[in-house]
Amino acid sequence: MGLSFLSKHFPMQEGQPQVQETPADIISTVEFNHTGELLATGDKGGRVVIFQREPESKNAPHSQGEYDVYSTFQSHEPEFDYLKSLEIEEKINKIKWLPQQNAAHSLLSTNDKTIKLWKITERDKRPEGYNLKDEEGKLKDLSTVTSLQVPVLKPMDLMVEVSPRRIFANGHTYHINSISVNSDCETYMSADDLRINLWHLAITDRSFNIVDIKPANMEDLTEVITASEFHPHHCNLFVYSSSKGSLRLCDMRAAALCDKHSKLFEEPEDPSNRSFFSEIISSVSDVKFSHSGRYMLTRDYLTVKVWDLNMEARPIETYQVHDYLRSKLCSLYENDCIFDKFECAWNGSDSVIMTGAYNNFFRMFDRNTKRDVTLEASRESSKPRAVLKPRRVCVGGKRRRDDISVDSLDFTKKILHTAWHPTENIIAIAATNNLYIFQDKVNSDMH
């Protein structure tokens, strides 16, 4: 897939160009809206930054518009739970856009405990000529009002207003790891380590618990929920993944509490590959339904897998993301990298999948041709229209000139969060505190 740089990269810092990065600037989630015209990022400092795609210019009607900052707002603040003596981080764990119903846009953002619904509106006109108020908005002396006039709307500079519409709090004892909006556009679910709750978008003071895997005795706990998502077309179906590498498809028509799954997707473990790290690296960090609703994509530490909803026994496709790390698991365990949670994404036609890796590398796999490519999000590749060159990691033996040795990979540079435009070959890559947006230089699939 030939990708050329579409838009400048965005260092997520206020004011000055790249300075010493702070933990608050690290991007923690990336999400396109349903049309792809807007792109939202959340960071560890509780901020949400929304980018808007510029319209095509009249001078170059066939050129694609670039993404520029549209609005920035503080979504969450740090809090303190006095009952449990726990600090609640402001970090944005997930952002989900709601389908657009009118001129305004809406999105859900969540930290570890509280989900908020935000409304984003535009204002480019202001009313003037009030009868009872002066230009500053103060009430006039009624005795001075001798005639009546019709107020008029005058053009003004575009203003983007972001306002909180709902706050969904107190629904989770444990940390929220995912939220997903239902296809009925009325409800959404939120998942933490042990429970999944169903909310109505208009009701903030109660939610329905639809999955509860908390054992009576916490010493009997063997797995936790790692991610969950609603089916894109069937409002009664959802899936959740576990730290044991299994997927459970649930049907809300079967029972109010979906503790008994409809289908269990689990790959039998190869005894020859069994090791101390087997359970850690099999934990599913992300699950995504395909746009068609027929398949599911999962990411564990070393692989991405495609599952068919009609076949539970094993995945229909397995792709190695960075198999060269299999021999490095001991050191990755010691520096905690083995617990990194990488996300995965489908392209608009479900034919290509994408996920991140270390050293600011990200991987793409073409499901039709079975070709794969490793690309790098870096300052060098962020020059306008620069074409991304495929990268190769060398394990041993002969090295080509541009190869990078597995021993020289930088494990502090990791691409955990990625997003793919819903219809076009445009991708957003979060590399610590930088956002990169790339576009396929020819509007075709991988070749």
Side-chain angles (χ1 to χ4, degrees):
M1 184 178 233
L3 287 172
S4 64
F5 196 71
L6 170 72
S7 179
K8 54 191 172 295
H9 90 277
F10 299 91
M12 305 305 275
Q13 261 133 2
E14 308 272 339
Q16 298 306 311
Q18 200 67 14
V19 289
Q20 183 65 37
E21 68 184 61
T22 64
D25 298 311
I26 294 172
I27 300 170
S28 51
T29 184
V30 188
E31 190 81 12
F32 280 103
N33 75 338
H34 294 77
T35 62
E37 294 305 300
L38 296 176
L39 170 68
T41 67
D43 65 24
K44 286 194 171 181
R47 290 186 301 264
V48 172
V49 182
I50 301 173
F51 299 87
Q52 184 184 44
R53 197 175 186 188
E54 297 296 317
E56 294 176 0
S57 68
K58 291 176 183 174
N59 301 333
H62 299 296
S63 71
Q64 297 290 349
E66 294 189 350
Y67 285 84
D68 279 311
V69 177
Y70 177 62
S71 179
T72 304
F73 63 96
Q74 189 72 32
S75 171
H76 287 71
E77 301 280 359
E79 296 174 57
F80 192 79
D81 186 330
Y82 292 98
L83 288 175
K84 295 179 181 170
S85 293
L86 280 178
E87 279 188 63
I88 301 168
E89 278 188 309
E90 65 271 39
K91 174 192 161 199
I92 309 295
N93 290 345
K94 283 287 183 283
I95 291 172
K96 291 292 173 189
W97 291 91
L98 271 60
Q100 194 174 358
Q101 310 282 0
N102 48 39
H105 294 277
S106 299
L107 63 79
L108 289 167
S109 64
T110 184
N111 66 351
D112 284 340
K113 298 289 182 187
T114 306
I115 305 155
K116 296 184 181 181
L117 173 63
W118 297 90
K119 185 179 179 184
I120 301 112
T121 51
E122 289 184 357
R123 221 158 38 115
D124 60 357
K125 293 183 177 66
R126 68 168 182 267
E128 282 186 9
Y130 286 112
N131 291 292
L132 303 179
K133 291 179 185 174
D134 60 21
E135 289 176 7
E136 294 176 0
K138 294 176 182 173
L139 282 172
K140 293 180 183 175
D141 180 357
L142 294 181
S143 61
T144 62
V145 179
T146 55
S147 62
L148 292 176
Q149 59 184 353
V150 179
V152 292
L153 289 173
K154 292 279 182 74
M156 60 178 265
D157 290 339
L158 179 69
M159 221 168 79
V160 180
E161 295 177 333
V162 181
S163 54
R165 305 296 291 171
R166 310 253 193 288
I167 296 176
F168 305 88
N170 307 319
H172 288 275
T173 308
Y174 307 98
H175 290 180
I176 298 170
N177 56 44
S178 48
I179 50 176
S180 178
V181 180
N182 200 343
S183 58
D184 65 9
C185 300
E186 288 188 352
T187 57
Y188 76 92
M189 69 176 174
S190 56
D192 66 25
D193 297 332
L194 298 177
R195 298 189 180 104
I196 300 176
N197 292 339
L198 182 69
W199 302 80
H200 193 284
L201 284 161
I203 301 168
T204 59
D205 59 354
R206 65 183 181 275
S207 62
F208 296 97
N209 181 231
I210 51 175
V211 171
D212 188 346
I213 65 167
K214 183 175 186 272
N217 183 355
M218 283 296 272
E219 289 179 5
D220 299 330
L221 184 69
T222 58
E223 62 180 333
V224 294
I225 297 166
T226 55
S228 66
E229 189 175 60
F230 268 120
H231 191 280
H233 311 304
H234 301 300
C235 61
N236 53 292
L237 294 178
F238 68 92
V239 67
Y240 70 90
S241 59
S242 90
S243 57
K244 277 194 165 178
S246 59
L247 300 171
R248 289 175 175 86
L249 186 72
C250 301
D251 190 339
M252 291 193 291
R253 296 172 302 184
L257 190 64
C258 300
D259 283 354
K260 290 185 174 67
H261 49 266
S262 303
K263 289 188 175 186
L264 174 66
F265 299 82
E266 201 166 32
E267 187 174 23
E269 189 184 16
D270 181 357
S272 64
N273 283 339
R274 179 81 190 154
S275 75
F276 171 76
F277 306 108
S278 294
E279 195 164 308
I280 301 173
I281 63 172
S282 66
S283 175
V284 175
S285 55
D286 195 19
V287 57
K288 295 270 169 60
F289 277 106
S290 62
H291 295 84
S292 66
R294 170 73 186 270
Y295 304 104
M296 295 181 295
L297 178 64
T298 62
R299 171 70 203 261
D300 57 39
Y301 191 65
L302 295 177
T303 66
V304 277
K305 295 171 182 172
V306 177
W307 300 78
D308 189 319
L309 257 64
N310 299 326
M311 191 171 91
E312 299 158 65
R314 69 184 69 84
I316 55 169
E317 297 158 31
T318 300
Y319 302 96
Q320 300 295 333
V321 178
H322 39 208
D323 201 47
Y324 46 79
L325 295 183
R326 201 174 284 276
S327 61
K328 304 273 180 197
L329 293 178
C330 195
S331 56
L332 291 164
Y333 177 76
E334 287 171 358
N335 64 18
D336 281 349
C337 285
I338 201 168
F339 302 105
D340 286 335
K341 292 176 169 56
F342 292 94
E343 293 173 8
C344 50
W346 297 91
N347 73 338
S349 61
D350 300 332
S351 60
V352 184
I353 54 184
M354 170 176 65
T355 192
Y358 293 108
N359 210 67
N360 277 1
F361 289 169
F362 59 98
R363 303 270 283 136
M364 288 185 171
F365 304 92
D366 189 309
R367 298 180 59 211
N368 299 325
T369 64
K370 302 302 176 191
R371 290 183 186 174
D372 65 273
V373 66
T374 302
L375 300 168
E376 182 181 8
S378 67
R379 303 277 174 78
E380 289 69 44
S381 61
S382 65
K383 299 180 179 104
R385 306 296 160 197
V387 176
L388 288 178
K389 291 178 186 157
R391 302 301 306 267
R392 198 166 147 260
V393 176
C394 171
V395 181
K398 289 184 180 176
R399 270 180 68 181
R400 293 185 207 159
R401 192 165 61 88
D402 291 334
D403 285 1
I404 181 165
S405 163
V406 68
D407 295 316
S408 56
L409 292 173
D410 188 343
F411 292 104
T412 63
K413 293 180 176 175
K414 52 192 90 170
I415 291 177
L416 303 176
H417 312 289
T418 59
W420 204 310
H421 189 289
T423 54
E424 296 180 39
N425 275 341
I426 297 173
I427 56 173
I429 305 286
T432 41
N433 65 324
N434 293 288
L435 177 70
Y436 296 88
I437 301 173
F438 300 107
Q439 178 193 21
D440 196 349
K441 66 178 166 59
V442 285
N443 285 324
S444 63
D445 278 345
M446 287 174 79
H447 56 273

